Each structure stands twice: as C-alpha cells, then as structure tokens.
C-alpha cells in the first residue's frame, strides 16, 4: 500500500497557528475536481474557507458539538456539496459516490502537501444551506478540515488521547470475498491469470 494511504489518519489535534498557502489549498481543491465522476456529470461543488475569512467563520458556526472543539484549529475548511437529485435514486447515489471519491483524493493531496485532512459529517446541513445560500438542487454532504498536526503536548488531553489511539480496520478476510458472500478472498495465495 502506498505510504500516503498507510500513514493517513483523521487527526483532531491541529496547530491553530499553522496556515495553508493558496497554492497548497488550490492543489487540494484540484485533486477533488479531478476525481472520477459518474457519467461525467461532475456534481461536486466546494465552499472554501481559510482561517480568518468570513467563509471559514461561517463554516465553524455550522459545526456540531463533537467537531466544534477541534475543527476551528484547521487552516482551511471545505464544505463538499453534491447534486440533491431527489427524484432519481441512481443519480443521487452516484452523486454521493462522487463526493467520496473527491474527498478521498483531497485527503491524499493534503497528505502529500504535508497537511492532514479530516472528513466530518458533524455539521448542520440546513444551517449550511441558510448561511451560504446553497441552492435546493445541491446538498452539503461532507465538511473537510485541513490542517497541520500540532505537537501532542500542545493540544487538549482528550484530543491527544483520541489522536494517539491505534488506527485499525477490519481484517481483509472480513471485508473482501470470493466465490460466495462471506467466503474470504484469498489475497496471498490466489492464482493470478497470466498477464496480470
């Protein structure tokens, strides 16, 4: 697995004095813009705030309790929106998939630039709509915090403890199957067809 993926984590202990350059933030947004998109629809849109500007302040105001304590230390906040598509379930589903792809690429680009990206669902979408005049045909889906990880001694003890927890995932044999559902994919001993 690539080091950018292996070392990625959703940190909370950001340095409240760290800044992000326009070039670095633009490269992160470009990574999201160039993510794969279903049917070339390109439904993803961004509301971008940099700490100290009015957009950033507005984005901190829509945070829910769990994120309000740490996310304002981000250097930038990006609200990722997509098409609402209330009458087309397939289009609505893939509009959400497009957001996931965009956010994933943005997180990896942030990591490559020396930043950390933390995706959040803990914000009030209705407040976001009202605050930023987001049209009805768009739905706010993810708020991405982008920041520099602080010295652990400089952050609150509860944040330091959460950031120090080991990063874990279910083992591959519980999430990847072959032949029938629940039958583990034999990752290390599967014969590969010739030419792959």
């Amino acid at each position: 697995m690539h080091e950018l993926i292996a070392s990625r984590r959703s940190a909370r202990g950001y340095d409240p004095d760290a800044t992000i350059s326009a070039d670095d933030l633009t490269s992160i947004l470009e990574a999201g813009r160039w993510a794969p998109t279903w049917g070339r629809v390109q439904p993803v849109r961004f509301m971008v705030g940099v700490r100290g500007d009015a957009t950033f302040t507005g984005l901190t105001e829509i945070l829910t309790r769990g994120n309000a304590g740490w996310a304002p230390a981000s250097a930038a906040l990006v609200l990722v929106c997509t098409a609402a598509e209330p009458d087309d379930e397939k289009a609505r589903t893939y509009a959400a998939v497009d957001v996931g792809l965009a956010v994933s690429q943005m997180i990896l680009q942030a990591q490559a630039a020396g930043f950390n990206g933390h995706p959040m669902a803990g914000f009030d979408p209705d407040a976001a709509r009202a605050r930023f005049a987001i049209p009805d045909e768009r739905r706010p889906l993810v708020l991405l915090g982008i920041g520099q990880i602080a010295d652990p001694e400089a952050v609150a003890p509860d944040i330091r403890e959460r950031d120090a927890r080991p990063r874990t995932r279910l083992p591959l044999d519980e999430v990847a199957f072959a032949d029938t559902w629940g039958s583990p994919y034999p990752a290390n001993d599967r014969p590969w067809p010739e030419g792959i």
Side-chain angles (χ1 to χ4, degrees):
M1 188 164 57
H2 195 283
E3 173 62 20
L4 284 175
I5 299 168
S7 63
R8 187 220 62 84
R9 55 180 298 184
S10 296
R12 290 173 180 81
Y14 285 168
D15 179 347
D17 297 319
T19 59
I20 187 166
S21 72
D23 286 346
D24 282 337
L25 185 52
T26 299
S27 73
I28 292 166
L29 297 171
E30 287 286 4
R33 184 172 75 93
W34 281 99
T37 180
W38 171 67
R40 297 189 212 167
V41 174
Q42 302 178 57
V44 177
R45 302 290 185 272
F46 309 120
M47 285 295 308
V48 184
V50 177
R51 191 183 328 105
D53 72 18
T55 304
F56 186 94
T57 300
L59 291 169
T60 64
E61 291 168 356
I62 67 168
L63 291 166
T64 55
R65 188 174 52 90
N67 294 321
W70 67 267
S74 301
L77 291 169
V78 180
L79 181 62
V80 186
C81 303
T82 193
E85 301 290 357
D87 300 324
D88 186 337
E89 183 178 348
K90 185 175 182 180
R92 183 176 172 85
T93 297
Y94 282 99
V97 169
D98 281 6
V99 165
L101 292 166
V103 169
S104 182
Q105 288 195 182
M106 292 167 77
I107 288 169
L108 294 178
Q109 183 65 37
Q111 188 85 0
F115 292 89
N116 179 266
H118 185 132
M120 298 171 265
F123 68 94
D124 183 337
D126 292 329
R129 285 180 185 285
R131 173 64 176 79
F132 298 108
I134 297 170
D136 289 342
E137 65 268 13
R138 299 283 164 189
R139 62 180 166 142
L141 205 54
V142 175
L143 185 57
L144 180 64
I146 302 167
Q148 294 232 330
I149 297 176
D151 178 335
E153 296 304 314
V155 300
D158 61 319
I159 292 174
R160 180 171 53 245
E161 185 273 325
R162 287 181 80 175
D163 280 358
R165 291 178 191 164
R167 182 175 166 238
T168 62
R169 293 293 185 270
L170 293 171
L172 190 61
D173 64 359
E174 290 184 27
V175 298
F177 310 128
D179 300 322
T180 60
W181 187 267
S183 176
Y185 170 77
N188 295 323
D189 59 330
R190 186 159 184 97
W192 291 100
E194 194 170 320
I196 293 182

